[in-house]
Amino acid sequence: MLFRSMKNGIFTIILSLFFLNLFGQEFSASFSTNKILENTTVDITFTLVGVRGSGFAKPDFGKLQVVGGPKNFQKSSFVNGSSTYTQAVTYSLLANKAGKYKVGSAAIKVKGKTLRTKPITLTVVKGKAVKKGAKKDKKVYVEMVASDTMALLGQQITLEYILYTQEDINGYDLVNESEYEGFFSQELRNYRANVVRVIVKGEQYYTKTIKKVALFPQRTGKFDFDPVLVTLAIPLPGQRQTIWNNGRTRKIQVSTNPLSIIVSETPPNAPISFSGAVGKYRMASTINKKRLTTDDAFVVVMEVRGTGDGKTFSAAKQPHLDEFEYYDPNIIRDEDTSKDGIISNYKKIEYLFAPKKPGRYIIKPEFTYYDSDSNDYITLSPNAFRVSVSQGTRKVTVDDRNVSVSQSQKADRDSVSMLSNFWLKYLDGLLYAVFGLSFLALLLMGYKKSLLVKQDQLDPEEKRRLKAKNMATSKLELAKSHQSDGNGRKFYEEISTAMNGYLGDKFGLANSDFKKELIVESLKRGNVNELQINTYLEILKACEMALFAGQPLSHMEEIYQRAKMLILEIEDNG
């Protein structure tokens, strides 16, 4: 039963305190909830983390009545090669009247010293008045709550379905959960869903998050989520429950609130090292060598971890350095992890630099993200590397020999007089061959130039169509190679890029125009039929689902063939 033991959960606060200070020592006091109704109980826990203590002395509870405890709790843990010890004492307290109640300091001895907790305060409020003789109806409802209702492209939003109940609940089911159109969505499972007591309009409820979803906006605009119908199972009175039988229940349906989220783009004038990351990020960088010659190159490795959408940002560009040749960065690792109800993205990026001339230089890698809390661009540059470059063997060779005309002619005559007729004919043939190849090269160069001139004279629309087809073909070939390697993530990324890039180039869509309605409208203007439009949307959705939820490798061939055939069909339409 979901909430049967919630009133006896006296160690909930203890488990959360394990993570406060794993390696230090801390003696603290906390209530299971800081606000309760009059004539109800609350648990207070005194926790010592990091060391063993003795001689616990309870505090002055004032006008709060002790109705349970002390209950002792001890735990030893082993983390990263270090052992940690935690001990706690819990009391149950009763508050008879509304008001604020102060609990004094508890004390404990640790290695001859006395540690004390800070005094804490409990707020007790009056309950909602109930008419004499009237039966109080128990209430239950579910709220849909978003971490942000004003968001940016690339920002992670957490959506929670929170149950408020005065009843025991056996189970639940979301009947008509939204498809979250306009967002990538992923259900979060790895988080602590503790039962918490709260006061709402003078009434006490037990709350718990029954579902949590991570949303990543994919386009700008306003998105309205309709209320979600939730079926709840409530045990019937007097039903006996066993391990094999939860007992008979009655089912009720409640409806959540509606919700709207407005998504906008990040502000303009971003630094050059901003590549679309939005949220909270950390960055570290390393360099593989600090002393080298002009014959060598060095690699800077950047590691980035944050809470934004990993698909919407790429490797950050670096400030231009005149003394170095700068190559396109390479993302060598890209993965998502879920922890404590949030998705984190990790990227490992390689940058290759080749020095042009000797000298001493400072390399300072940068990564910029947009902080959704402070609403500002934040540039991270925690490491600066001093690089020493010496001259290598690469240098310009100059032929500065001073040979007179007479010397040159005499040498030629001596050389020729030593050759036989056979070698003279052979050299004549070789000379003709060189001239022939040179002439052929000139013809090819002229033909290529004529093609370039012809392309320049092409209609802009035709040039755009050619570019779209060539780009799509290249991306599909790259996707096919990832399919052969069994790399599903890269395969679906290339398919998605091929389809969006093809449509963007062919129909002149800007990045900001990639909304479903605008895409459909542009395709219809381009004489693309309804079936082809639906096929495109299905391919795109399949790629989105695969990137987040994963798909069997056997599906890749089907998606590849559908994408390839769709591009050919649209090309045939002109």
Side-chain angles (χ1 to χ4, degrees):
M1 199 170 62
L2 185 60
F3 295 124
R4 176 63 65 184
S5 60
M6 57 189 174
K7 295 182 180 179
N8 298 321
I10 61 174
F11 298 126
T12 300
I13 191 66
I14 301 174
L15 296 177
S16 64
L17 288 170
F18 289 160
F19 299 92
L20 288 176
N21 193 336
L22 290 176
F23 301 103
Q25 64 182 44
E26 181 176 333
F27 187 40
S28 60
S30 61
F31 289 112
S32 56
T33 179
N34 292 321
K35 182 186 290 187
I36 62 171
L37 291 176
E38 59 183 353
N39 296 315
T40 60
T41 62
V42 67
D43 293 332
I44 185 172
T45 301
F46 304 93
T47 306
L48 177 65
V49 179
V51 292
R52 295 176 183 269
S54 60
F56 173 79
K58 68 180 181 180
D60 179 9
F61 293 110
K63 294 183 179 181
L64 293 170
Q65 182 182 350
V66 178
V67 294
K71 296 182 180 180
N72 296 298
F73 176 86
Q74 299 178 359
K75 180 180 177 66
S76 296
S77 59
F78 194 77
V79 179
N80 294 333
S82 300
S83 60
T84 302
Y85 182 77
T86 302
Q87 64 186 90
V89 181
T90 298
Y91 292 86
S92 293
L93 307 177
L94 173 66
N96 293 316
K97 294 183 180 180
K100 290 187 178 294
Y101 294 85
K102 184 178 181 180
V103 175
S105 298
I108 196 169
K109 291 184 178 179
V110 176
K111 297 180 181 179
K113 295 182 179 180
T114 300
L115 300 180
R116 298 182 184 277
T117 63
K118 294 180 180 180
I120 57 174
T121 302
L122 175 70
T123 301
V124 181
V125 299
K126 285 184 175 292
K128 187 176 181 180
V130 179
K131 292 183 180 180
K132 190 174 182 179
K135 184 179 178 181
K136 181 179 181 296
D137 293 330
K138 293 183 178 180
K139 297 180 180 179
V140 58
Y141 63 95
V142 178
E143 279 192 354
M144 184 165 51
V145 180
S147 59
D148 288 283
T149 55
M150 302 286 291
L152 298 166
L153 284 174
Q155 179 181 346
Q156 180 173 176
I157 304 168
T158 54
L159 184 67
E160 295 184 75
Y161 294 86
I162 304 176
L163 172 66
Y164 290 76
T165 182
Q166 296 173 339
E167 302 242 26
D168 287 335
I169 303 296
N170 262 10
Y172 65 90
D173 179 39
L174 274 63
V175 178
N176 61 330
E177 183 180 357
S178 171
E179 294 185 358
Y180 311 114
E181 184 177 351
F183 297 81
F184 279 128
S185 64
Q186 181 173 351
E187 182 178 356
L188 296 167
R189 301 181 184 275
N190 186 18
Y191 67 96
R192 295 188 297 275
N194 297 327
V195 177
V196 180
R197 273 194 297 177
V198 297
I199 307 298
V200 181
K201 296 181 180 179
E203 295 191 77
Q204 179 173 273
Y205 289 85
Y206 288 90
T207 72
K208 183 176 181 178
T209 297
I210 59 176
K211 187 167 187 178
K212 198 170 187 179
V213 181
L215 301 178
F216 298 96
Q218 299 302 296
R219 58 179 188 265
T220 59
K222 182 181 179 183
F223 302 90
D224 298 319
F225 299 153
D226 293 330
V228 176
L229 196 64
V230 183
T231 301
L232 301 170
I234 300 176
L236 291 175
Q239 289 294 309
R240 182 182 177 185
Q241 297 191 357
T242 67
I243 297 176
W244 299 276
N245 181 18
N246 285 333
R248 295 176 60 192
T249 62
R250 64 184 176 93
K251 292 185 177 181
I252 65 171
Q253 286 189 331
V254 297
S255 183
T256 71
N257 53 295
L259 187 68
S260 295
I261 297 177
I262 298 176
V263 181
S264 56
E265 294 183 346
T266 52
N269 303 321
I272 189 174
S273 54
F274 174 72
S275 60
V278 178
K280 294 285 187 181
Y281 282 85
R282 292 174 290 132
M283 185 271 277
S285 58
T286 57
I287 190 171
N288 70 332
K289 63 179 70 174
K290 295 182 180 180
R291 293 182 177 275
L292 65 158
T293 70
T294 53
D295 298 334
D296 301 324
F298 63 89
V299 175
V300 172
V301 176
M302 181 184 293
E303 294 181 274
V304 178
R305 187 182 298 276
T307 60
D309 186 358
K311 298 187 306 305
T312 60
F313 79 91
S314 56
K317 294 182 179 179
Q318 297 301 305
H320 181 69
L321 300 173
D322 293 334
E323 298 83 0
F324 294 89
E325 292 181 12
Y326 174 76
Y327 296 88
D328 290 337
N330 181 30
I331 299 177
I332 59 176
R333 188 175 171 187
D334 187 353
E335 60 187 30
D336 293 330
T337 57
S338 174
K339 183 179 180 182
D340 296 334
I342 202 79
I343 292 178
S344 295
N345 176 257
Y346 170 81
K347 278 185 171 63
K348 190 173 184 180
I349 310 165
E350 281 187 347
Y351 296 85
L352 181 65
F353 295 88
K356 297 179 182 178
K357 59 183 180 180
R360 295 180 181 273
Y361 308 101
I362 296 179
I363 306 298
K364 202 170 183 181
E366 293 183 359
F367 176 83
T368 298
Y369 70 94
Y370 190 84
D371 191 317
S372 53
D373 289 338
S374 63
N375 294 322
D376 197 7
Y377 290 104
I378 305 295
T379 298
L380 304 177
S381 185
N383 305 105
F385 306 107
R386 296 182 180 275
V387 178
S388 178
V389 180
S390 58
Q391 180 63 54
T393 57
R394 287 191 306 174
K395 58 185 179 179
V396 178
T397 303
V398 180
D399 187 356
D400 57 354
R401 291 174 297 174
N402 184 15
V403 181
S404 67
V405 175
S406 60
Q407 288 175 328
S408 177
Q409 289 175 341
K410 185 176 185 299
D412 290 341
R413 284 197 301 269
D414 291 342
S415 299
V416 172
S417 64
M418 294 175 63
L419 293 176
S420 65
N421 291 332
F422 169 79
W423 286 108
L424 286 173
K425 292 180 180 179
Y426 175 78
L427 289 175
D428 288 341
L430 183 61
L431 185 61
Y432 283 123
V434 170
F435 276 113
L437 290 174
S438 299
F439 182 70
L440 182 60
L442 288 173
L443 289 177
L444 290 174
M445 290 172 62
Y447 176 70
K448 185 176 181 180
K449 185 174 181 180
S450 66
L451 287 179
L452 292 175
V453 171
K454 184 178 180 181
Q455 288 181 0
D456 287 338
Q457 295 173 349
L458 284 176
D459 180 71
E461 294 291 329
E462 183 64 25
K463 291 173 67 175
R464 194 174 66 226
R465 293 190 191 100
L466 288 174
K467 178 186 175 184
K469 183 179 179 181
N470 293 336
M471 188 283 290
T473 302
S474 174
K475 288 292 182 183
L476 287 177
E477 290 177 355
L478 190 56
K480 189 67 175 177
S481 67
H482 291 313
Q483 179 187 355
S484 302
D485 297 337
N487 191 334
R489 182 177 181 84
K490 292 293 185 183
F491 170 82
Y492 286 108
E493 285 179 351
E494 294 299 339
I495 291 291
S496 179
T497 302
M499 297 305 300
N500 286 335
Y502 172 73
L503 292 174
D505 288 338
K506 185 175 182 65
F507 297 104
L509 291 173
N511 290 337
S512 58
D513 291 340
F514 270 82
K515 300 178 183 178
K516 182 179 178 180
E517 298 79 6
L518 293 176
I519 292 173
V520 172
E521 182 181 341
S522 297
L523 292 177
K524 287 180 178 179
R525 286 201 307 266
N527 297 322
V528 179
N529 62 46
E530 195 73 26
L531 179 61
Q532 292 169 339
I533 293 174
N534 291 334
T535 300
Y536 161 72
L537 295 176
E538 289 171 3
I539 292 172
L540 201 61
K541 187 173 183 64
C543 291
E544 293 175 358
M545 294 296 294
L547 288 170
F548 271 90
Q551 293 287 344
L553 298 180
S554 58
H555 289 181
M556 289 195 288
E557 179 62 26
E558 177 188 352
I559 295 296
Y560 173 81
Q561 292 297 339
R562 292 187 71 184
K564 184 177 179 180
M565 289 302 299
L566 179 61
I567 291 174
L568 290 176
E569 290 174 4
I570 295 177
E571 282 298 308
D572 290 341
N573 291 344

